[in-house]
């Protein structure tokens, strides 16, 4: 079959350098196309590694991007992105390539934007028809391969109509358009059995306060999210609705700045029991936080949902979306996650992209294998830290006095400032500083990083 210059049939299979599924070969293996740490069946903290991590490939970075940047055109070999013929045929070819990759990588999930899997049409009606057609194609591939949807999301940031925001747009017709698009994408995610639905507020923010009414925009966003939650109940969507915090980029300021800002927003609009967060490593660092901080904060508020696994670059102030490579950074986050009982319906979505010079299709395998192994090894370190128990013990010891009579009475509201003033003077209290043991604890973590096998 010809589609005018580009014959998709000729390209299958797309990943010819990888002829069979990637296998686990153990830490001693030198085979770059094997897992050294990700042993799907291995039981870690009561569940298989596969179930603990629930790894997903991000459709957009790997299949819907050709590697362009602000200064140059696409450099990667992605023929379906420059079809000489029918756009929908190209979308089907892209999907065949994606599922070949998921199967060979042996990941259980993928994540998608509506526009990643189906091209935008002339109007919303045509966009929806196209999405429905591609959703049925995806359902067939999923049935055939057993790969599932970790989450779906609507792209409310690429089209120029959303330049001034989607829900936070000064024009209510744009709000309506975005609402229609999300409604359809949520239905599609439900149709595919998605475990979660994500909203990332890429343009929900401002570039200058000179033209912005903050409180109106926040109320619009609150209304929008309530509509999404109501619709999810109406259609019986069983997954979790997630907001993905990010402080800025593309806007100067985004309303979903970080986990704490999202929690305040959810409380204000009555959604704290309905919506959770999808925490991305690089977004945490852009917000000036350690990833562990964002994870621990989300857990402390009871709103941790899922993780976008990637990393930034210490010298660059934007979302470089590189593949994870720091076992240490992820171990501490996984320590928090495992101690809190795991991610539930969430997982580890590799929201990460190749560098522009990584032009070979096989680079996609190297990137994901390295990322998945990093997360898998971090999971083992986290398990070891929990089994050892010394870190948790040190923290518990540090606060032990709060379980005594004074601490309990203060927390229960039994003491006024007058009472405490009288207590300190009456009992001549002179509390002495005690070591926080930071260096000892850092080296404790380092020893576990060294030992894990
Ligand atoms: C962008 C975000 C985006 C979301 C999905 O920085 O990470 O990729 O994960 O819209
Ligand atoms: Ni993300
Ligand atoms: Ni991001």
């Amino acid at each position: 079959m010809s589609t005018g210059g580009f014959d998709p049939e000729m390209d299958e299979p797309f990943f010819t350098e990888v002829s069979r599924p990637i296998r686990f070969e153990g830490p001693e293996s030198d085979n770059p196309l094997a897992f050294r740490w990700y042993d799907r069946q291995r039981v870690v903290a009561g569940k298989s590694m596969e179930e603990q991590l629930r790894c997903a490939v991000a459709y957009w970075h790997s299949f819907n991007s050709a590697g362009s940047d602000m200064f140059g055109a696409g450099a990667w070999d992605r023929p379906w992105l420059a079809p000489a013929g029918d756009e929908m045929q190209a979308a089907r070819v892209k999907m065949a390539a994606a599922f070949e990759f998921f199967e060979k990588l042996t990941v259980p999930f993928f994540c998608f934007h509506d526009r990643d899997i189906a091209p935008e049409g002339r109007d919303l009606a045509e966009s929806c028809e196209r999405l429905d057609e591609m959703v049925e194609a995806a359902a067939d591939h999923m049935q055939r391969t057993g790969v599932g949807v970790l989450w779906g999301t609507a792209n409310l940031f690429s089209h120029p109509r959303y330049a001034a925001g989607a829900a936070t747009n000064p024009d209510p017709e744009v709000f309506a358009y975005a609402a229609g698009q999300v409604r359809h994408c949520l239905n599609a995610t439900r149709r595919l059995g998605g475990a979660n639905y994500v909203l990332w507020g890429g343009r929900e923010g401002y570039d200058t306060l000179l033209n912005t009414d903050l409180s109106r925009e926040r109320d619009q966003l609150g209304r929008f999210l309530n509509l999404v939650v109501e619709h999810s109940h109406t259609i019986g969507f069983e997954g979790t609705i997630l907001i993905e915090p990010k402080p800025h980029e593309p806007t100067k300021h985004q309303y979903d700045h970080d986990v704490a800002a999202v929690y305040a927003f959810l409380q204000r609009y009555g959604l704290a029991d309905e919506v959770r967060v999808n925490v991305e490593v690089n977004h945490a660092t852009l917000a000036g936080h350690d990833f562990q901080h964002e994870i621990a904060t989300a857990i402390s508020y009871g709103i941790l949902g899922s993780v976008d696994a990637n990393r930034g670059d210490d010298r660059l102030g934007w979302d470089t979306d590189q593949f994870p490579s720091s076992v240490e950074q992820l171990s501490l986050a996984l320590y928090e996650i495992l101690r809190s009982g795991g991610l539930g319906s969430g997982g580890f979505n590799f929201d990460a992209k190749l560098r522009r010079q990584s032009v070979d299709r096989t680079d996609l395998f190297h990137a994901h294998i390295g990322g998945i192994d990093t997360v898998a090894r971090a999971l083992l370190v986290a398990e070891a830290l929990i089994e050892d128990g010394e870190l948790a013990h040190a923290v518990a010891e540090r606060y032990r006095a709060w379980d005594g009579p004074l601490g309990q009475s203060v927390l229960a509201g039994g003491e006024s400032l007058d009472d405490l003033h009288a207590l300190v003077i009456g009992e001549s209290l002179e509390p002495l500083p005690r070591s926080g043991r930071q260096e000892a604890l850092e080296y404790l973590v380092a020893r576990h990083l060294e030992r894990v096998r």
Side-chain angles (χ1 to χ4, degrees), residues 256-296:
D256 52 7
H257 195 93
D258 60 3
V259 170
V262 168
Y263 187 62
F265 173 85
L266 293 177
Q267 280 185 306
R268 183 176 171 97
Y269 296 98
L271 293 165
D273 295 330
E274 297 274 3
V275 177
R276 291 170 170 253
V277 283
N278 179 39
V279 183
E280 178 164 321
V281 183
N282 206 164
H283 296 182
T285 50
L286 286 183
H289 300 305
D290 288 334
F291 179 51
Q292 184 190 7
H293 166 90
E294 286 293 80
I295 292 290

mmCIF file of all heavy atoms in Angstrom, residues 256-296:
data_model
loop_
_atom_site.group_PDB
_atom_site.id
_atom_site.type_symbol
_atom_site.label_atom_id
_atom_site.label_comp_id
_atom_site.label_asym_id
_atom_site.label_seq_id
_atom_site.Cartn_x
_atom_site.Cartn_y
_atom_site.Cartn_z
ATOM 1 N N ASP A 256 -0.276 25.341 39.532
ATOM 2 C CA ASP A 256 0.012 24.063 40.210
ATOM 3 C C ASP A 256 1.505 23.975 40.539
ATOM 4 O O ASP A 256 2.173 22.987 40.244
ATOM 5 C CB ASP A 256 -0.444 22.889 39.330
ATOM 6 C CG ASP A 256 0.103 22.937 37.906
ATOM 7 O OD1 ASP A 256 0.958 23.817 37.618
ATOM 8 O OD2 ASP A 256 -0.306 22.107 37.080
ATOM 9 N N HIS A 257 2.019 25.029 41.162
ATOM 10 C CA HIS A 257 3.452 25.234 41.391
ATOM 11 C C HIS A 257 4.199 24.025 41.965
ATOM 12 O O HIS A 257 5.213 23.588 41.443
ATOM 13 C CB HIS A 257 3.605 26.431 42.329
ATOM 14 C CG HIS A 257 4.977 26.982 42.394
ATOM 15 N ND1 HIS A 257 5.422 28.007 41.603
ATOM 16 C CD2 HIS A 257 6.037 26.627 43.154
ATOM 17 C CE1 HIS A 257 6.684 28.273 41.881
ATOM 18 N NE2 HIS A 257 7.081 27.459 42.820
ATOM 19 N N ASP A 258 3.724 23.494 43.075
ATOM 20 C CA ASP A 258 4.358 22.327 43.690
ATOM 21 C C ASP A 258 3.291 21.588 44.489
ATOM 22 O O ASP A 258 2.117 21.986 44.474
ATOM 23 C CB ASP A 258 5.564 22.728 44.561
ATOM 24 C CG ASP A 258 5.199 23.658 45.708
ATOM 25 O OD1 ASP A 258 3.999 23.962 45.884
ATOM 26 O OD2 ASP A 258 6.110 24.086 46.434
ATOM 27 N N VAL A 259 3.673 20.520 45.166
ATOM 28 C CA VAL A 259 2.678 19.685 45.859
ATOM 29 C C VAL A 259 1.915 20.505 46.897
ATOM 30 O O VAL A 259 0.689 20.398 47.004
ATOM 31 C CB VAL A 259 3.359 18.452 46.513
ATOM 32 C CG1 VAL A 259 2.382 17.727 47.428
ATOM 33 C CG2 VAL A 259 3.878 17.508 45.434
ATOM 34 N N ALA A 260 2.628 21.343 47.644
ATOM 35 C CA ALA A 260 1.959 22.119 48.695
ATOM 36 C C ALA A 260 0.940 23.086 48.087
ATOM 37 O O ALA A 260 -0.174 23.239 48.609
ATOM 38 C CB ALA A 260 2.996 22.877 49.529
ATOM 39 N N ALA A 261 1.301 23.734 46.980
ATOM 40 C CA ALA A 261 0.365 24.670 46.328
ATOM 41 C C ALA A 261 -0.856 23.909 45.805
ATOM 42 O O ALA A 261 -1.992 24.392 45.901
ATOM 43 C CB ALA A 261 1.062 25.410 45.185
ATOM 44 N N VAL A 262 -0.639 22.715 45.263
ATOM 45 C CA VAL A 262 -1.762 21.922 44.750
ATOM 46 C C VAL A 262 -2.678 21.506 45.907
ATOM 47 O O VAL A 262 -3.906 21.552 45.793
ATOM 48 C CB VAL A 262 -1.259 20.686 43.961
ATOM 49 C CG1 VAL A 262 -2.399 19.714 43.671
ATOM 50 C CG2 VAL A 262 -0.613 21.140 42.653
ATOM 51 N N TYR A 263 -2.078 21.149 47.033
ATOM 52 C CA TYR A 263 -2.914 20.733 48.165
ATOM 53 C C TYR A 263 -3.789 21.895 48.656
ATOM 54 O O TYR A 263 -4.981 21.709 48.938
ATOM 55 C CB TYR A 263 -2.041 20.187 49.307
ATOM 56 C CG TYR A 263 -2.881 19.602 50.415
ATOM 57 C CD1 TYR A 263 -3.707 18.503 50.172
ATOM 58 C CD2 TYR A 263 -2.872 20.147 51.697
ATOM 59 C CE1 TYR A 263 -4.502 17.967 51.176
ATOM 60 C CE2 TYR A 263 -3.665 19.618 52.710
ATOM 61 C CZ TYR A 263 -4.477 18.527 52.439
ATOM 62 O OH TYR A 263 -5.266 17.999 53.430
ATOM 63 N N ALA A 264 -3.207 23.080 48.720
ATOM 64 C CA ALA A 264 -3.994 24.260 49.138
ATOM 65 C C ALA A 264 -5.138 24.488 48.146
ATOM 66 O O ALA A 264 -6.278 24.761 48.534
ATOM 67 C CB ALA A 264 -3.090 25.491 49.209
ATOM 68 N N PHE A 265 -4.840 24.341 46.868
ATOM 69 C CA PHE A 265 -5.844 24.522 45.812
ATOM 70 C C PHE A 265 -6.969 23.474 45.961
ATOM 71 O O PHE A 265 -8.156 23.804 45.895
ATOM 72 C CB PHE A 265 -5.145 24.395 44.455
ATOM 73 C CG PHE A 265 -6.065 24.402 43.277
ATOM 74 C CD1 PHE A 265 -6.489 25.599 42.711
ATOM 75 C CD2 PHE A 265 -6.507 23.205 42.728
ATOM 76 C CE1 PHE A 265 -7.346 25.597 41.625
ATOM 77 C CE2 PHE A 265 -7.365 23.200 41.645
ATOM 78 C CZ PHE A 265 -7.790 24.398 41.095
ATOM 79 N N LEU A 266 -6.582 22.237 46.172
ATOM 80 C CA LEU A 266 -7.589 21.172 46.297
ATOM 81 C C LEU A 266 -8.492 21.419 47.501
ATOM 82 O O LEU A 266 -9.714 21.219 47.437
ATOM 83 C CB LEU A 266 -6.908 19.800 46.429
ATOM 84 C CG LEU A 266 -6.140 19.302 45.201
ATOM 85 C CD1 LEU A 266 -5.464 17.967 45.493
ATOM 86 C CD2 LEU A 266 -7.061 19.187 43.983
ATOM 87 N N GLN A 267 -7.898 21.870 48.594
ATOM 88 C CA GLN A 267 -8.709 22.138 49.789
ATOM 89 C C GLN A 267 -9.691 23.276 49.532
ATOM 90 O O GLN A 267 -10.854 23.208 49.872
ATOM 91 C CB GLN A 267 -7.807 22.523 50.954
ATOM 92 C CG GLN A 267 -7.166 21.327 51.612
ATOM 93 C CD GLN A 267 -6.378 21.758 52.824
ATOM 94 O OE1 GLN A 267 -5.527 22.632 52.739
ATOM 95 N NE2 GLN A 267 -6.673 21.166 53.960
ATOM 96 N N ARG A 268 -9.192 24.333 48.900
ATOM 97 C CA ARG A 268 -10.037 25.497 48.660
ATOM 98 C C ARG A 268 -11.241 25.161 47.778
ATOM 99 O O ARG A 268 -12.316 25.722 47.942
ATOM 100 C CB ARG A 268 -9.220 26.614 48.012
ATOM 101 C CG ARG A 268 -10.015 27.894 47.804
ATOM 102 C CD ARG A 268 -9.131 28.990 47.248
ATOM 103 N NE ARG A 268 -9.927 30.138 46.844
ATOM 104 C CZ ARG A 268 -10.121 31.206 47.598
ATOM 105 N NH1 ARG A 268 -9.592 31.268 48.796
ATOM 106 N NH2 ARG A 268 -10.846 32.217 47.146
ATOM 107 N N TYR A 269 -11.043 24.237 46.834
ATOM 108 C CA TYR A 269 -12.135 23.908 45.909
ATOM 109 C C TYR A 269 -12.802 22.574 46.246
ATOM 110 O O TYR A 269 -13.493 21.983 45.413
ATOM 111 C CB TYR A 269 -11.640 23.980 44.457
ATOM 112 C CG TYR A 269 -11.246 25.400 44.134
ATOM 113 C CD1 TYR A 269 -9.917 25.808 44.198
ATOM 114 C CD2 TYR A 269 -12.223 26.370 43.881
ATOM 115 C CE1 TYR A 269 -9.569 27.133 43.978
ATOM 116 C CE2 TYR A 269 -11.877 27.695 43.658
ATOM 117 C CZ TYR A 269 -10.554 28.071 43.712
ATOM 118 O OH TYR A 269 -10.218 29.383 43.514
ATOM 119 N N GLY A 270 -12.598 22.109 47.477
ATOM 120 C CA GLY A 270 -13.327 20.940 47.977
ATOM 121 C C GLY A 270 -12.957 19.627 47.299
ATOM 122 O O GLY A 270 -13.793 18.736 47.160
ATOM 123 N N LEU A 271 -11.706 19.493 46.868
ATOM 124 C CA LEU A 271 -11.327 18.317 46.085
ATOM 125 C C LEU A 271 -10.228 17.468 46.733
ATOM 126 O O LEU A 271 -9.715 16.540 46.104
ATOM 127 C CB LEU A 271 -10.855 18.764 44.697
ATOM 128 C CG LEU A 271 -11.941 19.378 43.805
ATOM 129 C CD1 LEU A 271 -11.308 20.101 42.624
ATOM 130 C CD2 LEU A 271 -12.905 18.302 43.320
ATOM 131 N N ALA A 272 -9.895 17.788 47.986
ATOM 132 C CA ALA A 272 -8.741 17.109 48.607
ATOM 133 C C ALA A 272 -8.943 15.597 48.744
ATOM 134 O O ALA A 272 -7.970 14.841 48.811
ATOM 135 C CB ALA A 272 -8.416 17.733 49.957
ATOM 136 N N ASP A 273 -10.193 15.133 48.750
ATOM 137 C CA ASP A 273 -10.417 13.683 48.844
ATOM 138 C C ASP A 273 -10.623 13.037 47.472
ATOM 139 O O ASP A 273 -10.820 11.831 47.374
ATOM 140 C CB ASP A 273 -11.660 13.389 49.701
ATOM 141 C CG ASP A 273 -11.446 13.828 51.134
ATOM 142 O OD1 ASP A 273 -10.277 13.798 51.588
ATOM 143 O OD2 ASP A 273 -12.435 14.225 51.785
ATOM 144 N N GLU A 274 -10.640 13.845 46.436
ATOM 145 C CA GLU A 274 -10.977 13.332 45.098
ATOM 146 C C GLU A 274 -9.781 13.259 44.168
ATOM 147 O O GLU A 274 -9.779 12.472 43.228
ATOM 148 C CB GLU A 274 -12.006 14.263 44.422
ATOM 149 C CG GLU A 274 -13.332 14.348 45.132
ATOM 150 C CD GLU A 274 -14.282 13.236 44.697
ATOM 151 O OE1 GLU A 274 -13.865 12.378 43.885
ATOM 152 O OE2 GLU A 274 -15.421 13.239 45.175
ATOM 153 N N VAL A 275 -8.805 14.131 44.388
ATOM 154 C CA VAL A 275 -7.722 14.299 43.414
ATOM 155 C C VAL A 275 -6.381 14.101 44.117
ATOM 156 O O VAL A 275 -6.213 14.509 45.268
ATOM 157 C CB VAL A 275 -7.801 15.714 42.781
ATOM 158 C CG1 VAL A 275 -6.652 15.951 41.821
ATOM 159 C CG2 VAL A 275 -9.136 15.915 42.070
ATOM 160 N N ARG A 276 -5.456 13.462 43.421
ATOM 161 C CA ARG A 276 -4.110 13.264 43.964
ATOM 162 C C ARG A 276 -3.077 13.925 43.047
ATOM 163 O O ARG A 276 -3.460 14.609 42.099
ATOM 164 C CB ARG A 276 -3.818 11.766 44.101
ATOM 165 C CG ARG A 276 -4.664 11.128 45.190
ATOM 166 C CD ARG A 276 -4.564 9.607 45.185
ATOM 167 N NE ARG A 276 -5.186 9.091 46.375
ATOM 168 C CZ ARG A 276 -4.512 8.572 47.410
ATOM 169 N NH1 ARG A 276 -3.197 8.451 47.355
ATOM 170 N NH2 ARG A 276 -5.149 8.152 48.477
ATOM 171 N N VAL A 277 -1.813 13.675 43.319
ATOM 172 C CA VAL A 277 -0.784 14.319 42.490
ATOM 173 C C VAL A 277 0.092 13.300 41.764
ATOM 174 O O VAL A 277 0.346 12.197 42.259
ATOM 175 C CB VAL A 277 0.145 15.251 43.307
ATOM 176 C CG1 VAL A 277 -0.540 16.563 43.623
ATOM 177 C CG2 VAL A 277 0.659 14.582 44.562
ATOM 178 N N ASN A 278 0.535 13.705 40.580
ATOM 179 C CA ASN A 278 1.535 12.972 39.821
ATOM 180 C C ASN A 278 2.820 13.790 39.931
ATOM 181 O O ASN A 278 2.909 14.880 39.362
ATOM 182 C CB ASN A 278 1.087 12.854 38.358
ATOM 183 C CG ASN A 278 2.092 12.121 37.499
ATOM 184 O OD1 ASN A 278 2.694 11.141 37.941
ATOM 185 N ND2 ASN A 278 2.290 12.587 36.274
ATOM 186 N N VAL A 279 3.782 13.291 40.676
ATOM 187 C CA VAL A 279 4.982 14.079 40.988
ATOM 188 C C VAL A 279 6.104 13.755 40.002
ATOM 189 O O VAL A 279 6.479 12.589 39.852
ATOM 190 C CB VAL A 279 5.466 13.794 42.425
ATOM 191 C CG1 VAL A 279 6.670 14.664 42.761
ATOM 192 C CG2 VAL A 279 4.351 14.039 43.432
ATOM 193 N N GLU A 280 6.617 14.787 39.344
ATOM 194 C CA GLU A 280 7.712 14.587 38.379
ATOM 195 C C GLU A 280 9.029 15.057 38.988
ATOM 196 O O GLU A 280 9.105 16.155 39.543
ATOM 197 C CB GLU A 280 7.404 15.350 37.087
ATOM 198 C CG GLU A 280 8.515 15.229 36.049
ATOM 199 C CD GLU A 280 8.071 15.639 34.651
ATOM 200 O OE1 GLU A 280 6.940 15.325 34.259
ATOM 201 O OE2 GLU A 280 8.874 16.276 33.952
ATOM 202 N N VAL A 281 10.065 14.259 38.816
ATOM 203 C CA VAL A 281 11.367 14.564 39.420
ATOM 204 C C VAL A 281 11.863 15.940 38.981
ATOM 205 O O VAL A 281 12.204 16.802 39.799
ATOM 206 C CB VAL A 281 12.418 13.495 39.040
ATOM 207 C CG1 VAL A 281 13.741 13.787 39.747
ATOM 208 C CG2 VAL A 281 11.932 12.094 39.370
ATOM 209 N N ASN A 282 11.886 16.166 37.680
ATOM 210 C CA ASN A 282 12.436 17.427 37.154
ATOM 211 C C ASN A 282 11.575 18.632 37.546
ATOM 212 O O ASN A 282 12.086 19.745 37.721
ATOM 213 C CB ASN A 282 12.569 17.335 35.635
ATOM 214 C CG ASN A 282 13.638 18.248 35.038
ATOM 215 O OD1 ASN A 282 14.044 18.069 33.908
ATOM 216 N ND2 ASN A 282 14.096 19.247 35.785
ATOM 217 N N HIS A 283 10.261 18.431 37.739
ATOM 218 C CA HIS A 283 9.406 19.542 38.174
ATOM 219 C C HIS A 283 9.714 19.891 39.626
ATOM 220 O O HIS A 283 9.683 21.068 40.009
ATOM 221 C CB HIS A 283 7.928 19.171 38.044
ATOM 222 C CG HIS A 283 7.497 18.926 36.629
ATOM 223 N ND1 HIS A 283 6.201 18.623 36.294
ATOM 224 C CD2 HIS A 283 8.191 18.932 35.465
ATOM 225 C CE1 HIS A 283 6.103 18.457 34.986
ATOM 226 N NE2 HIS A 283 7.305 18.633 34.459
ATOM 227 N N ALA A 284 10.009 18.864 40.436
ATOM 228 C CA ALA A 284 10.370 19.110 41.839
ATOM 229 C C ALA A 284 11.632 19.965 41.893
ATOM 230 O O ALA A 284 11.682 20.977 42.607
ATOM 231 C CB ALA A 284 10.592 17.793 42.565
ATOM 232 N N THR A 285 12.629 19.588 41.097
ATOM 233 C CA THR A 285 13.888 20.339 41.158
ATOM 234 C C THR A 285 13.712 21.752 40.598
ATOM 235 O O THR A 285 14.298 22.697 41.112
ATOM 236 C CB THR A 285 15.037 19.593 40.447
ATOM 237 O OG1 THR A 285 14.611 19.197 39.144
ATOM 238 C CG2 THR A 285 15.423 18.346 41.209
ATOM 239 N N LEU A 286 12.839 21.913 39.585
ATOM 240 C CA LEU A 286 12.574 23.273 39.073
ATOM 241 C C LEU A 286 11.916 24.134 40.139
ATOM 242 O O LEU A 286 12.102 25.352 40.169
ATOM 243 C CB LEU A 286 11.642 23.219 37.853
ATOM 244 C CG LEU A 286 12.215 22.733 36.530
ATOM 245 C CD1 LEU A 286 11.161 22.820 35.437
ATOM 246 C CD2 LEU A 286 13.437 23.546 36.137
ATOM 247 N N ALA A 287 11.134 23.510 41.023
ATOM 248 C CA ALA A 287 10.460 24.254 42.087
ATOM 249 C C ALA A 287 11.405 24.511 43.260
ATOM 250 O O ALA A 287 10.999 25.089 44.272
ATOM 251 C CB ALA A 287 9.217 23.500 42.560
ATOM 252 N N GLY A 288 12.659 24.067 43.135
ATOM 253 C CA GLY A 288 13.636 24.299 44.199
ATOM 254 C C GLY A 288 13.550 23.272 45.320
ATOM 255 O O GLY A 288 14.009 23.522 46.431
ATOM 256 N N HIS A 289 12.946 22.113 45.027
ATOM 257 C CA HIS A 289 12.822 21.063 46.041
ATOM 258 C C HIS A 289 13.612 19.830 45.635
ATOM 259 O O HIS A 289 13.803 19.565 44.446
ATOM 260 C CB HIS A 289 11.369 20.601 46.172
ATOM 261 C CG HIS A 289 10.411 21.669 46.580
ATOM 262 N ND1 HIS A 289 10.571 22.435 47.706
ATOM 263 C CD2 HIS A 289 9.243 22.081 46.025
ATOM 264 C CE1 HIS A 289 9.553 23.272 47.820
ATOM 265 N NE2 HIS A 289 8.735 23.090 46.798
ATOM 266 N N ASP A 290 13.994 19.032 46.647
ATOM 267 C CA ASP A 290 14.455 17.682 46.337
ATOM 268 C C ASP A 290 13.227 16.874 45.939
ATOM 269 O O ASP A 290 12.131 17.104 46.445
ATOM 270 C CB ASP A 290 15.065 17.019 47.586
ATOM 271 C CG ASP A 290 16.409 17.629 47.931
ATOM 272 O OD1 ASP A 290 17.078 18.152 47.020
ATOM 273 O OD2 ASP A 290 16.778 17.582 49.122
ATOM 274 N N PHE A 291 13.433 15.880 45.088
ATOM 275 C CA PHE A 291 12.321 14.999 44.706
ATOM 276 C C PHE A 291 11.745 14.319 45.955
ATOM 277 O O PHE A 291 10.528 14.215 46.130
ATOM 278 C CB PHE A 291 12.832 13.967 43.696
ATOM 279 C CG PHE A 291 11.796 12.990 43.233
ATOM 280 C CD1 PHE A 291 10.560 13.408 42.760
ATOM 281 C CD2 PHE A 291 12.067 11.621 43.266
ATOM 282 C CE1 PHE A 291 9.610 12.487 42.325
ATOM 283 C CE2 PHE A 291 11.122 10.698 42.827
ATOM 284 C CZ PHE A 291 9.895 11.136 42.365
ATOM 285 N N GLN A 292 12.636 13.889 46.838
ATOM 286 C CA GLN A 292 12.181 13.241 48.078
ATOM 287 C C GLN A 292 11.240 14.156 48.864
ATOM 288 O O GLN A 292 10.262 13.705 49.455
ATOM 289 C CB GLN A 292 13.397 12.864 48.939
ATOM 290 C CG GLN A 292 13.016 12.102 50.193
ATOM 291 C CD GLN A 292 14.199 11.945 51.160
ATOM 292 O OE1 GLN A 292 15.267 12.519 50.953
ATOM 293 N NE2 GLN A 292 13.997 11.165 52.206
ATOM 294 N N HIS A 293 11.528 15.453 48.849
ATOM 295 C CA HIS A 293 10.665 16.395 49.567
ATOM 296 C C HIS A 293 9.247 16.384 48.997
ATOM 297 O O HIS A 293 8.263 16.346 49.749
ATOM 298 C CB HIS A 293 11.237 17.817 49.485
ATOM 299 C CG HIS A 293 10.246 18.868 49.893
ATOM 300 N ND1 HIS A 293 10.123 19.298 51.194
ATOM 301 C CD2 HIS A 293 9.290 19.526 49.190
ATOM 302 C CE1 HIS A 293 9.135 20.187 51.265
ATOM 303 N NE2 HIS A 293 8.622 20.347 50.054
ATOM 304 N N GLU A 294 9.146 16.434 47.674
ATOM 305 C CA GLU A 294 7.819 16.462 47.056
ATOM 306 C C GLU A 294 7.046 15.168 47.328
ATOM 307 O O GLU A 294 5.840 15.179 47.580
ATOM 308 C CB GLU A 294 7.935 16.711 45.546
ATOM 309 C CG GLU A 294 8.287 18.153 45.192
ATOM 310 C CD GLU A 294 7.163 19.126 45.539
ATOM 311 O OE1 GLU A 294 7.049 19.486 46.725
ATOM 312 O OE2 GLU A 294 6.400 19.523 44.641
ATOM 313 N N ILE A 295 7.762 14.040 47.266
ATOM 314 C CA ILE A 295 7.122 12.747 47.540
ATOM 315 C C ILE A 295 6.668 12.699 49.002
ATOM 316 O O ILE A 295 5.523 12.333 49.304
ATOM 317 C CB ILE A 295 8.109 11.593 47.235
ATOM 318 C CG1 ILE A 295 8.386 11.515 45.725
ATOM 319 C CG2 ILE A 295 7.582 10.264 47.762
ATOM 320 C CD1 ILE A 295 7.226 11.045 44.881
ATOM 321 N N ALA A 296 7.566 13.086 49.915
ATOM 322 C CA ALA A 296 7.229 13.023 51.345
ATOM 323 C C ALA A 296 6.074 13.971 51.662
ATOM 324 O O ALA A 296 5.191 13.640 52.460
ATOM 325 C CB ALA A 296 8.459 13.367 52.183
#
